[in-house]
Amino acid sequence: MATATQLAPSSTGDAFFKSVHEKHAAPLWTVLSQMVPPYPNPKAVPTVWRYSELRPSLMEAGKIVGAEEAERRVLMLVNSNMQAPHTTDTIYSGLQLVLPGETAPAHRHTAFALRFIIEGEDGFTAVEGQKIRMERGDVILTPPWNWHDHGNEGKDPIIWLDGLDLPIFRSVPVNFAENYTESRYPSTPTPESPLRFPWKDVRAALDADKSNSSHSVYHYNGKGRKHLSDRISAQAERVAAGYTTPGHKETCSFIYHVERGEGSTKIKAADGTETEIKWTTSDTFAVPAWSEVQHTCLSNTDAYLFAINDRPLVESLGLFRESA
Ligand code: GTQ
């Protein structure tokens, strides 16, 4: 007969815990609060990637490996409390470089990808036969199982931010991938592709939003659908010069990227830990789920932020919650 409540194995070892372990079972009561926590407990922590620091490393990568040889020449953005492919718990991001004359060869995969163009004007991504020009600030989608290759027909490097749903395949391991037989999949120039969201349209929508003169939020939507994909989507925000946005949190995580401007973001994690990230144009930072976010624009012109989010995933699982 048990004489006392036992919460964990005793230091001398315990026959009960040992025998249970050998039967591939474990006592729930020792870990219950981890499994069913009082509030969300993401593993990811706020992390920043400064473009001025990473760009030189990306250019160095350009000397070490060719785009064709690498298949994708990318520096993954690894959350400081996790391992690749985790930029947040659910979103993967990376910086991809294609040098003049190079091709990143055609492949396709179950994973969804979106790209936000950071620099270079004469790059293209060819998606399932549509050859789409990349211009700074554009968002271009690669839907699941679409053949895609990337190229650079200009004189300058082209660099963009990749956003993929790769972390999801750690817990739902059903990603497939295939390489095309040739380097490029046949494509024709498609200036008005439904897969391309030009920055000038997004910026015009942010500037025209009169609901709040100091802060506007634009949610990208996939031409007739609520979000850009089933798992990840994107938004853009304008923060007026000198303004601080009210605190807001969601059960979603975000990869923020600064299109333009200088400022800082206060991130109060679910456990109360506060972090302040200072940013400037082309920097990227990760915001874990259920973190209160407050942006301040410190430049004397408005700041424009782009963010990849996991809202479609969270919503479709019935897990979306927000709080002001
Ligand atoms: O461009 O297809 O950053 O397949 C990671 C995986 C980019 C891509 C990434 C990929 C790609």
Side-chain angles (χ1 to χ4, degrees), residues 33-227:
S33 64
Q34 265 165 270
M35 303 287 177
V36 193
Y39 48 78
N41 55 354
K43 275 209 194 74
V45 294
T47 307
V48 62
W49 296 271
R50 302 195 188 285
Y51 198 59
S52 63
E53 291 176 4
L54 265 183
R55 191 185 185 282
S57 305
L58 198 52
M59 297 312 292
E60 217 178 308
K63 294 188 183 127
I64 292 171
V65 69
E68 190 85 34
E69 188 189 356
E71 190 166 331
R72 296 294 182 265
R73 189 202 284 119
V74 174
L75 288 180
M76 301 188 287
L77 306 185
V78 185
N79 191 276
S80 64
N81 199 37
M82 300 187 82
Q83 290 182 337
H86 290 277
T87 311
T88 69
D89 290 76
T90 51
I91 311 170
Y92 155 94
S93 243
L95 291 175
Q96 182 159 175
L97 166 69
V98 180
L99 291 168
E102 287 188 324
T103 301
H107 70 189
R108 61 179 178 178
H109 39 67
T110 313
F112 167 85
L114 64 79
R115 321 186 192 275
F116 181 89
I117 315 310
I118 301 173
E119 63 171 276
E121 297 289 325
D122 293 303
F124 71 84
T125 180
V127 184
E128 200 73 19
Q130 299 180 28
K131 187 177 177 189
I132 304 166
R133 198 177 133 89
M134 293 171 147
E135 286 177 35
R136 191 180 182 282
D138 290 354
V139 168
I140 300 170
L141 311 186
T142 304
W145 214 239
N146 279 205
W147 291 112
H148 56 288
D149 49 84
H150 317 299
N152 183 342
E153 295 171 326
K155 290 190 167 57
D156 301 312
I158 175 135
I159 299 175
W160 65 82
L161 180 74
D162 280 319
L164 285 87
D165 49 10
L166 298 179
I168 290 157
F169 297 102
R170 310 283 282 195
S171 41
V172 189
V174 292
N175 198 3
F176 295 80
E178 190 180 356
N179 289 314
Y180 191 60
T181 45
E182 312 287 321
S183 177
R184 286 191 180 166
Y185 184 80
S187 65
T188 48
T190 312
E192 297 285 315
S193 171
L195 300 174
R196 173 171 175 236
F197 298 77
W199 176 251
K200 66 171 172 43
D201 296 348
V202 173
R203 180 167 169 160
L206 288 172
D207 292 343
D209 183 353
K210 297 280 179 265
S211 57
N212 177 342
S213 60
S214 300
H215 183 214
S216 43
V217 182
Y218 173 85
H219 290 278
Y220 288 75
N221 56 77
K223 323 268 149 126
R225 57 189 293 176
K226 190 175 174 197
H227 299 301

Side-chain angles (χ1 to χ4, degrees), residues 203-321:
R203 180 167 169 160
L206 288 172
D207 292 343
D209 183 353
K210 297 280 179 265
S211 57
N212 177 342
S213 60
S214 300
H215 183 214
S216 43
V217 182
Y218 173 85
H219 290 278
Y220 288 75
N221 56 77
K223 323 268 149 126
R225 57 189 293 176
K226 190 175 174 197
H227 299 301
L228 292 182
S229 80
D230 291 335
R231 296 176 290 276
I232 64 179
S233 198
Q235 66 197 62
E237 298 180 39
R238 180 183 62 85
V239 185
Y243 184 75
T244 298
T245 62
H248 179 82
K249 60 179 170 182
E250 297 179 2
T251 46
C252 301
S253 65
F254 303 87
I255 314 291
Y256 271 95
H257 178 81
V258 185
E259 193 275 331
R260 192 174 301 262
E262 269 169 50
S264 68
T265 297
K266 255 196 218 155
I267 303 167
K268 191 174 172 189
D271 68 1
T273 313
E274 280 192 49
T275 311
E276 185 161 358
I277 288 174
K278 289 228 170 205
W279 40 257
T280 189
T281 303
S282 302
D283 288 349
T284 303
F285 58 95
V287 174
W290 206 239
S291 302
E292 187 181 295
V293 174
Q294 268 191 300
H295 307 296
T296 300
C297 172
L298 297 168
S299 35
N300 48 25
T301 51
D302 295 1
Y304 292 85
L305 303 172
F306 168 77
I308 304 164
N309 62 51
D310 59 357
R311 185 147 171 181
L313 171 82
V314 171
E315 266 186 18
S316 67
L317 296 174
L319 300 174
F320 183 76
R321 257 210 227 190

